[in-house]
């Protein structure tokens, strides 16, 4: 049996402790150990962005981060966005614009969009498209997603 | 993924001692965007992953107008292009850091990791070569420096001896009237691996008409990124002209030894070396001329 490490990290503002093997990715830890299943596994190799989360303020693919690397760090996931009775403006904009179909890419797109708007509250369409280039969607054809992010920026 | 032990080293000597002890079964972990994928896909067998990101020296990002740039081995791409002085002094390197993967990859991927992975198509290596960058390498016997163009020895193979790691990259202050440029050909706009990459740096005279010196480097056309020495040398002293740039492009084509694979045929790659070398040179020259 592989040895497990004890890790303490902050997830969506709350201190969380967990045990994990070195080989478990942050994505596996989130989904399998902490039961935060919002981040999705698409490719498991950094290409699709379905697993996007924000680590210490920076957008990353959680499939390419080891769980043990998050000791002492801060992780934001899709579960931390909405308030109990209110969706986050980006979530609202995705609904309003029908920017999702099957939805598997959506948590990744929303976290990626959040990371963008956190650092650039008024991005151009061009900036949005470049920023989101690491997020793939098989269903929507992207236009509605880009419009949703533009709307979310305008709504702020 | 295979099982392995994870160790977060706090000092260079701790990491070097571990590397020396564990030999081939240990690997340095920087951003993990190559390493984690390789281990997960069982392309690399690793028993010890040594995370260097808590070591102060590998996080240094320091530009000084007298001494140049010290770029710690674990500094992520996004930090490089966030510094205005670096964008001004080393635009060719910035071109590369902006096209590696997408936003999330650039949040983790280090320039040093891109170099140490030693892919023939690695986007940062040609610009590092044309900018005269050198590797600061630490090992059991202390530190040594090596020019980047001597670092890669084959696909995934480097000049590291047992127990050695990259601490930082050093890039000298660019000369007056100089600039650099990197570009690659990919079939998509984003998120792809170079079919061919080309970097150039040029120094012009005060009138910005004559080339004082130039350096050209190529990616993805040989087992390692190539410094196109002859093509670079023949530009020295030449007036900026299409003819001079064409000559350099042809000389660059003559050293390309590309393979044919799913990304492109050898013939296409050789053609691209000519096109991209011209564009990289013209791009660098334009940047010198555009600068105030
Ligand atoms: C989706 C995706 C897209 C990508 N797109 C591009 C692209 O467009 N262009 C491109 O060039 N690459 C691309 N890459 C590859 C990769 O992101 C880059 O090569 C990146 O710069 C590697 O840096 P890292 O910090 O993640 O390295 P790591 O994965 O941590 O390390 C890479 C290798 O170098 C070794 N190493 C790292 N640091 C040191 C050190 N200090 N001393 C000794 N050895 C060390 C490691 O042991 C490992 O073998 C892509 C990868 C993915 C997953
Ligand atoms: S699952 Fe992480 S990028 Fe696809
Ligand atoms: S909504 Fe189905 S992949 Fe994007």
């Amino acid at each position: 049996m592989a040895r497990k490490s004890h890790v303490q990290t902050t997830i969506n503002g709350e201190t969380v402790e967990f045990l994990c093997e070195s080989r478990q990715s942050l994505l596996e830890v989130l989904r399998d150990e902490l039961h935060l299943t919002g981040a999705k596994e698409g490719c498991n190799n950094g290409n699709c962005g379905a697993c996007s989360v924000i680590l210490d303020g920076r957008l990353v693919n959680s499939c390419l981060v080891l769980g043990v690397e998050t000791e002492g760090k801060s992780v934001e996931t899709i579960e931390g966005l909405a308030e109990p009775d209110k969706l986050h403006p980006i979530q609202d904009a995705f609904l309003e614009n029908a920017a999702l179909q099957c939805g598997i890419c959506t948590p990744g797109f929303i976290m990626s969009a959040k990371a963008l708007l956190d650092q650039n509250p008024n991005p151009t369409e061009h900036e949005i498209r470049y920023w989101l280039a690491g997020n793939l969607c098989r269903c929507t054809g992207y236009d509605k997603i880009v419009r949703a992010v533009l709307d979310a920026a305008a709504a702020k | 993924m295979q099982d392995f032990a994870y160790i977060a080293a706090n000092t260079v000597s701790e990491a070097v001692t571990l590397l020396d002890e564990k030999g081939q079964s240990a690997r340095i972990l920087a951003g993990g965007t190559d390493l984690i994928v390789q281990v997960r896909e069982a392309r690399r067998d690793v028993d010890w992953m040594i995370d260097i990101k808590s070591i102060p020296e590998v996080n240094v990002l320091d530009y000084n107008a007298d001494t140049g740039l010290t770029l710690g081995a674990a500094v992520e791409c996004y930090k490089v292009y966030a510094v205005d002085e670096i964008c001004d002094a080393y635009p060719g390197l910035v071109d590369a850091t902006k096209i590696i993967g997408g936003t999330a990859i650039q949040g983790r991927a280090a320039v040093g990791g891109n170099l140490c992975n030693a892919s023939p198509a690695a986007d940062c290596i040609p610009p590092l070569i044309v900018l005269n960058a050198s590797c600061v390498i630490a090992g059991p016997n202390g530190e040594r420096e090596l020019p980047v163009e001597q670092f890669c020895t084959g696909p995934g193979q480097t000049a590291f001896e047992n127990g050695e790691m990259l601490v930082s990259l050093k890039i000298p202050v660019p000369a007056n009237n100089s600039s650099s440029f990197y570009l690659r050909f990919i079939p998509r706009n984003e998120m792809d691996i170079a079919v061919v990459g080309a970097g150039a740096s040029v120094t012009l005279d005060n009138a910005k008409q004559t080339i004082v010196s130039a350096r050209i480097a190529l990616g993805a056309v040989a087992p390692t990124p190539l410094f196109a020495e002859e093509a670079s040398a023949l530009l020295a002293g030449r007036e900026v002209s299409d003819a001079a740039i064409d000559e350099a492009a042809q000389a660059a084509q003559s050293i390309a030894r590309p393979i044919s694979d799913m990304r492109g045929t050898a013939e296409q790659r050789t053609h691209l070396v000519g096109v991209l070398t011209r564009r990289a040179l013209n791009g660098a020259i334009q940047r010198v001329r555009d600068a105030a």
Side-chain angles (χ1 to χ4, degrees), chain B:
Chain B
M1 202 171 1
Q2 74 163 109
D3 191 23
F4 55 81
Y6 167 88
I7 302 174
N10 291 309
T11 63
V12 170
S13 69
E14 188 187 344
V16 164
T17 304
L18 278 164
L19 277 177
D20 194 33
E21 265 172 30
K22 311 296 179 195
Q24 290 301 309
S25 64
R27 289 304 294 187
I28 298 281
L29 174 70
T33 59
D34 280 313
L35 186 61
I36 293 175
V37 177
Q38 288 161 8
V39 174
R40 183 172 290 142
E41 293 174 357
R43 283 187 279 136
R44 199 182 266 291
D45 191 14
V46 174
D47 295 328
W48 302 84
M49 253 193 221
I50 306 169
D51 188 348
I52 55 170
K53 292 190 290 294
S54 312
I55 302 176
E57 289 90 327
V58 304
N59 288 304
V60 173
L61 180 61
D62 178 53
Y63 177 70
N64 178 310
D66 296 323
T67 53
L69 179 66
T70 304
L71 174 59
V75 174
E76 300 88 343
C77 287
Y78 80 91
K79 288 185 183 151
V80 174
Y81 56 72
V83 181
D84 289 343
E85 289 94 337
I86 297 178
C87 295
D88 290 343
Y90 312 107
L93 179 62
V94 168
D95 291 335
T97 56
K98 284 186 172 170
I99 57 175
I100 288 189
T103 316
I105 296 290
Q106 289 161 21
R108 286 269 289 173
V111 174
N114 192 238
L115 174 64
C116 292
N117 191 60
S119 159
D123 285 309
C124 288
I125 305 180
L128 287 172
I129 293 173
V130 302
L131 290 166
N132 278 303
S134 55
C135 310
V136 178
I137 296 172
N141 304 318
E143 258 185 26
R144 65 178 174 123
E145 279 196 34
L146 187 73
V148 167
E149 65 256 36
Q150 291 169 25
F151 178 77
C152 297
T153 55
Q157 304 295 312
T158 70
F160 282 139
E161 307 277 351
N162 198 43
E164 285 189 326
M165 64 171 273
L166 183 73
V167 178
S168 60
L169 290 156
K170 279 196 176 162
I171 313 186
V173 185
N176 284 338
N177 300 317
S178 72
S179 196
S180 54
F181 200 94
Y182 174 77
L183 80 170
R184 67 181 180 185
F185 176 81
I186 54 172
R188 303 168 66 194
N189 286 330
E190 286 293 306
M191 298 286 293
D192 210 338
I193 295 171
V195 178
V196 174
S201 66
V202 296
T203 302
L204 304 185
D205 67 343
N206 283 335
K208 300 186 179 180
Q209 296 302 330
T210 302
I211 299 171
V212 176
S213 64
R215 283 171 74 85
I216 299 163
L218 307 173
V221 292
T224 66
L226 296 179
F227 171 42
E229 205 167 350
E230 250 176 72
S232 306
L234 68 80
L235 286 170
R238 298 284 295 271
E239 201 159 315
V240 174
S241 68
D242 288 347
I245 285 167
D246 283 344
E247 254 179 72
Q250 276 170 26
Q253 279 176 309
S254 73
I255 63 163
R257 289 167 278 140
I259 54 166
S260 293
D261 65 9
M262 64 172 189
R263 290 182 200 285
T265 61
E267 191 188 0
Q268 182 198 17
R269 284 193 159 103
T270 304
H271 172 72
L272 284 168
V273 169
V275 175
L276 298 186
T277 300
R278 279 193 288 272
R279 288 186 189 168
L281 284 166
N282 283 322
I285 290 166
Q286 197 56 48
R287 281 179 174 163
V288 180
R289 291 180 168 170
D290 288 346

Side-chain angles (χ1 to χ4, degrees), chain A residues 27 40-51 61 63:
Chain A
L27 178 63
K40 301 290 185 253
E41 180 183 313
C43 63
N44 217 17
N45 61 22
N47 275 285
C48 77
C51 65
N61 299 311
C63 71

